[in-house]
Amino acid sequence: MQQKLQQLRQLLNLLLLRKSETIYQTALNHIGVDASPADFVDDVVGCAESVTNILQKHINMPIITGTYTLFEYMNKSGNFARVDIPTAGNIVISPTGMGDGSMRGHVGIIGRNDVIMSNDSYSGKWMANYTIKAWRSRYSGQGKIPVYFFKIIK
């Protein structure tokens, strides 16, 4: 019985790893294009809309247009779990309203080699525009906004 349970856990972990990989691939395929073409909000603040558009291709979730609202959703929906060490396909978020007020928050999807893909506020295009180190420096260092990582668990 114990061995069967362990095998089921390993299978579940493998399936979740594959889901993270497919999210990463979807994010990668959006590089250079507008990941939120409906533009429910202006591209300057379109990061959450872009991320949820990409995630919707893999899980049932609403389009969310604010980083704090997305952060709350990830904490409460049961679809996500916080992680300390992110891998490709995980989500990085620094929610607006949790820092010193000097800047807005941001959200993106982790790529390979510590690269982060997110909405570029100026062009409205999905870009590989941060590293984890640069993200931490900007949002945690400059804006005092905490940095959280999430993975999909369903």
Side-chain angles (χ1 to χ4, degrees):
M1 177 74 166
Q2 199 70 339
Q3 186 178 10
K4 283 273 190 204
L5 189 58
Q6 186 173 5
Q7 288 173 338
L8 285 172
R9 282 189 187 125
Q10 288 173 341
L11 180 59
L12 179 61
N13 285 335
L14 182 59
L15 291 172
L16 292 174
L17 185 61
R18 285 188 182 154
K19 186 168 267 194
S20 289
E21 179 64 24
T22 60
I23 291 167
Y24 161 70
Q25 289 297 328
T26 301
L28 194 60
N29 290 338
H30 279 80
I31 294 289
V33 299
D34 187 346
S36 58
D39 286 335
F40 292 115
V41 294
D42 191 276
D43 285 334
V44 172
V45 291
C47 60
E49 181 182 356
S50 295
V51 167
T52 56
N53 267 309
I54 290 171
L55 293 176
Q56 267 194 335
K57 294 170 179 16
H58 303 281
I59 64 170
N60 183 21
M61 69 177 291
I63 295 294
I64 297 171
T65 59
T67 56
Y68 189 82
T69 305
L70 180 55
F71 175 71
E72 285 184 320
Y73 179 83
M74 288 192 295
N75 274 308
K76 296 176 182 175
S77 70
N79 291 326
F80 300 88
R82 220 180 277 183
V83 294
D84 293 325
I85 301 171
T87 59
N90 290 171
I91 295 97
V92 58
I93 189 165
S94 293
T96 298
M98 296 182 80
D100 64 9
S102 65
M103 66 177 59
R104 291 184 193 106
H106 200 50
V107 62
I109 296 176
I110 303 292
R112 298 210 195 290
N113 301 316
D114 288 342
V115 168
I116 297 172
M117 297 168 279
S118 66
N119 177 66
D120 180 82
S121 296
Y122 300 104
S123 69
K125 306 279 191 237
W126 186 255
M127 306 295 289
N129 48 8
Y130 287 94
T131 62
I132 292 174
K133 182 178 179 181
W135 184 289
R136 285 186 191 278
S137 175
R138 176 168 171 77
Y139 293 101
S140 180
Q142 293 174 24
K144 307 299 183 236
I145 307 172
V147 176
Y148 300 101
F149 300 103
F150 287 87
K151 67 178 180 178
I152 290 183
I153 58 171
K154 288 190 176 179

